[in-house]
Amino acid sequence: MPSLQTGYAPNLGVFLKSLKTAPLESSIENLISLLKRRQIRNSRPCAIATAHLLLRVVAKFRWTDIGNLLQRIQEVGQRLVEAQPREMVVGNIVRRVLGMIRDEAKEDRTEDASDSTSTSQLGSPGRERSDSGDLRTEGGVSSFSPLRFATTDASNLSEASGDDIFQGRSPLTSRPPLLTSHTSYAVLNGVPVQQSMFNLLSATPTPSSTPPHSSPSHGKSKITATSLAQRIATSTRDLKAEVISGIEEIIDELDQVDDQIAAYAQEHIHSNEVVLTHSSSLSVQKFLLKAAEKRKFTVIIAESYPNDHEATHAAVIGKVSSNLESDEMSTETFLKPLSAAGITVILMTDATIFAIMSRVNKVILATHAVIASGGLIAAAGARIIAKAAKVHKTPVIVVSGVYKLSPEYPFEFESLIEYGDPGNIIGYGEGALVDHLEVDNPVYDYVPPDLVDLYITNLGAHAPSYLYRIVADHYKPEDINFHKPELQF
């Protein structure tokens, strides 16, 4: 009896394994289901799942026009965004792939244009004038075509034999004495030409001569339907390989982004400093551990109750439970506890943040998503920390990969806030109390840009006001509203 769990992907690891065997449409539906159920959540897992799915879409989709591929990517991306609008990295990855496809197609067209230009230049003989003033080609044979002078009659030719205003030289005397095989058609049409042995021999049309109202091929091969189809197929295969390679580079970037951010740690954390951080972000963990290689400092960690306090406690003591596989910190990528690296670690409750802020030298926060305006969506409690830091003139540093930077600018930031299980605050066993309360448990907070001093990404350190330039470099304007057809121009 076959298993009832066939094709079911309960987390990121199982989903990536199922991509190798499951049909494409089934894989798309699986990811949509996982996003809706929040079985794949947080920025990194959602970005990795989206990139691998789009890689499969490009590899399996058959297309001859780049517009069909863009439409297919937009269709899949729109379904993923609608499944979980608050996971903004899903739309970011789709936009990155769309922009990369447009760049590859533009580069491919540029190369084709340059190839055709060079071919035409090689096939067209250059013209030069001899010392006597005759127009000749580089091979010594004139490229003059009598078809240009088909309206010339015998009287005009006789008048041209005498002196005229061109200092005794007629305009037709610039014609070369020897004509090409194209002259034979002019003879047949009744146009008198200069008699010579070459004209007599070439009076009969030859297979190599060019028919009227047509231009010489200059060595170009004849284009047939078969050759055109072969050329399109070859170009499509080459472009598909480039697109797949580009998506693989995005996946590699997702794997290396934390190490690239950590490379800037020793420039911003100094000896004997007191650093306040929040929740259990892998990016922040690697950032602090990198600085601890050459610095001795103290880290104060707010526990981020009630949604992330268990993961924060596990990060402090160096143990990560298996049910956190889909979170920012996972068993496979977790390094070592901060205390083992020589860092003095202090775990504190969220209620004591304002009281301890006067002793803090800088605040380092992780982010769930970054808005183009410079604001960020972070774990609940980040806004309180940022406000307390502003009161005490303490700099706030945000570490974030570029893939979290979204070009969207929502008009209602409340729509970005996700609310979790209120049972984490008040258990349903307390029925008498629950009946008289309305409990909200926000999972994320919105932190405005005026509360942030510096962003550290895998591209370096940037002020919040500079993020719009990074958005312009990574996303195409026509792809920003790909999931909203009514807003596309």
Side-chain angles (χ1 to χ4, degrees):
M1 179 178 178
S3 173
L4 297 178
Q5 299 295 328
T6 302
Y8 177 70
N11 53 34
L12 177 62
V14 178
F15 172 75
L16 296 181
K17 293 179 181 178
S18 68
L19 279 177
K20 301 177 182 179
T21 57
L24 178 58
E25 190 62 30
S26 177
S27 299
I28 296 175
E29 292 296 334
N30 280 342
L31 182 56
I32 291 175
S33 176
L34 292 172
L35 291 175
K36 287 182 177 180
R37 299 177 191 171
R38 308 301 283 140
Q39 291 175 310
I40 293 182
R41 54 181 311 213
N42 292 325
S43 301
R44 186 192 314 279
C46 291
I48 293 176
T50 303
H52 279 88
L53 180 63
L54 295 182
L55 178 63
R56 181 82 183 279
V57 170
V58 173
K60 294 295 183 180
F61 185 63
R62 296 182 178 180
W63 49 277
T64 56
D65 184 11
I66 195 66
N68 296 334
L69 179 60
L70 291 173
Q71 184 177 1
R72 176 60 173 167
I73 297 295
Q74 290 175 350
E75 175 189 349
V76 175
Q78 183 176 358
R79 295 169 62 184
L80 296 178
V81 171
E82 290 176 353
Q84 192 52 251
R86 294 186 178 92
E87 293 291 354
M88 305 182 71
V89 293
V90 174
N92 296 345
I93 297 299
V94 176
R95 295 184 186 94
R96 289 277 297 273
V97 173
L98 290 173
M100 182 264 299
I101 294 175
R102 297 182 192 275
D103 290 338
E104 294 292 348
K106 182 179 180 180
E107 182 178 354
D108 186 68
R109 288 194 297 266
T110 303
E111 292 178 356
D112 290 343
S114 61
D115 292 343
S116 61
T117 303
S118 60
T119 303
S120 62
Q121 291 176 352
L122 292 175
S124 302
R127 296 184 177 182
E128 64 178 5
R129 289 185 179 272
S130 61
D131 295 337
S132 60
D134 295 336
L135 182 64
R136 297 180 181 273
T137 61
E138 296 177 356
V141 180
S142 171
S143 60
F144 167 77
S145 176
L147 296 178
R148 296 173 54 192
F149 302 90
T151 58
T152 305
D153 54 11
S155 61
N156 291 337
L157 291 175
S158 61
E159 293 176 0
S161 61
D163 295 337
D164 57 6
I165 59 175
F166 294 95
Q167 298 179 358
R169 186 178 181 184
S170 82
L172 299 180
T173 57
S174 61
R175 297 180 182 179
L178 296 180
L179 302 180
T180 64
S181 60
H182 310 308
T183 312
S184 59
Y185 291 95
V187 174
L188 294 177
N189 292 331
V191 179
V193 296
Q194 183 176 359
Q195 297 296 327
S196 66
M197 182 61 69
F198 183 83
N199 292 332
L200 295 176
L201 295 176
S202 62
T204 302
T206 61
S208 62
S209 59
T210 305
H213 308 293
S214 65
S215 59
S217 62
H218 296 302
K220 295 182 179 179
S221 61
K222 184 178 180 180
I223 299 178
T224 62
T226 303
S227 62
L228 183 60
Q230 293 176 352
R231 182 176 180 182
I232 293 176
T234 303
S235 176
T236 301
R237 287 194 299 268
D238 295 341
L239 187 57
K240 176 181 286 188
E242 294 174 358
V243 172
I244 291 176
S245 177
I247 299 178
E248 290 176 347
E249 290 180 0
I250 295 177
I251 296 176
D252 293 338
E253 176 187 338
L254 296 176
D255 295 334
Q256 302 171 5
V257 62
D258 288 334
D259 295 329
Q260 295 172 349
I261 294 174
Y264 301 98
Q266 297 177 3
E267 300 177 7
H268 299 277
I269 296 180
H270 308 285
S271 298
N272 301 321
E273 283 190 337
V274 178
V275 178
L276 174 64
T277 186
H278 180 238
S279 72
S280 60
S281 169
L282 180 60
S283 300
V284 175
Q285 293 289 326
K286 287 190 174 183
F287 191 82
L288 297 175
L289 289 171
K290 186 65 175 180
E293 293 179 359
K294 296 184 179 180
R295 306 283 193 270
K296 297 295 182 181
F297 53 93
T298 301
V299 175
I300 300 176
I301 302 179
E303 65 176 354
S304 186
Y305 183 85
N307 298 308
D308 201 29
H309 63 287
E310 294 180 356
T312 304
H313 295 171
V316 172
I317 64 177
K319 295 181 181 180
V320 180
S321 57
S322 59
N323 61 351
L324 297 176
E325 183 179 355
S326 62
D327 284 343
E328 288 287 341
M329 297 184 61
S330 63
T331 306
E332 294 78 12
T333 55
F334 184 71
L335 298 177
K336 56 183 178 179
L338 300 179
S339 58
I343 302 175
T344 303
V345 181
I346 301 175
L347 182 64
M348 53 176 286
T349 62
D350 300 331
T352 59
I353 289 176
F354 193 87
I356 201 68
M357 187 61 68
S358 60
R359 298 176 179 270
V360 175
N361 298 109
K362 59 173 56 74
V363 176
I364 299 179
L365 297 177
T367 178
H368 179 73
V370 181
I371 313 300
S373 62
L376 67 138
I377 307 298
R383 187 184 182 97
I384 297 176
I385 296 176
K387 283 187 173 181
K390 185 175 183 180
V391 172
H392 290 86
K393 306 298 190 241
T394 303
V396 177
I397 299 176
V398 177
V399 293
S400 172
V402 174
Y403 72 94
K404 296 182 181 180
L405 179 57
S406 175
E408 291 187 89
Y409 187 86
F411 295 99
E412 295 182 2
F413 295 102
E414 185 67 23
S415 62
L416 301 177
I417 306 303
E418 180 180 355
Y419 289 87
D421 183 13
N424 294 334
I425 301 176
I426 298 180
Y428 292 103
E430 303 178 11
L433 183 60
V434 171
D435 292 339
H436 298 82
L437 291 177
E438 181 178 350
V439 181
D440 291 333
N441 179 22
V443 180
Y444 300 111
D445 273 346
Y446 171 72
V447 181
D450 59 320
L451 300 180
V452 180
D453 295 284
L454 188 67
Y455 279 94
I456 299 179
T457 68
N458 48 315
L459 301 180
H462 311 285
S465 59
Y466 184 77
L467 294 183
Y468 78 98
R469 288 299 309 164
I470 303 179
V471 170
D473 293 340
H474 285 76
Y475 304 108
K476 302 291 183 183
E478 55 268 30
D479 297 329
I480 293 179
N481 294 316
F482 76 93
H483 59 295
K484 300 177 181 178
E486 66 277 5
L487 298 180
Q488 294 184 4
F489 297 98

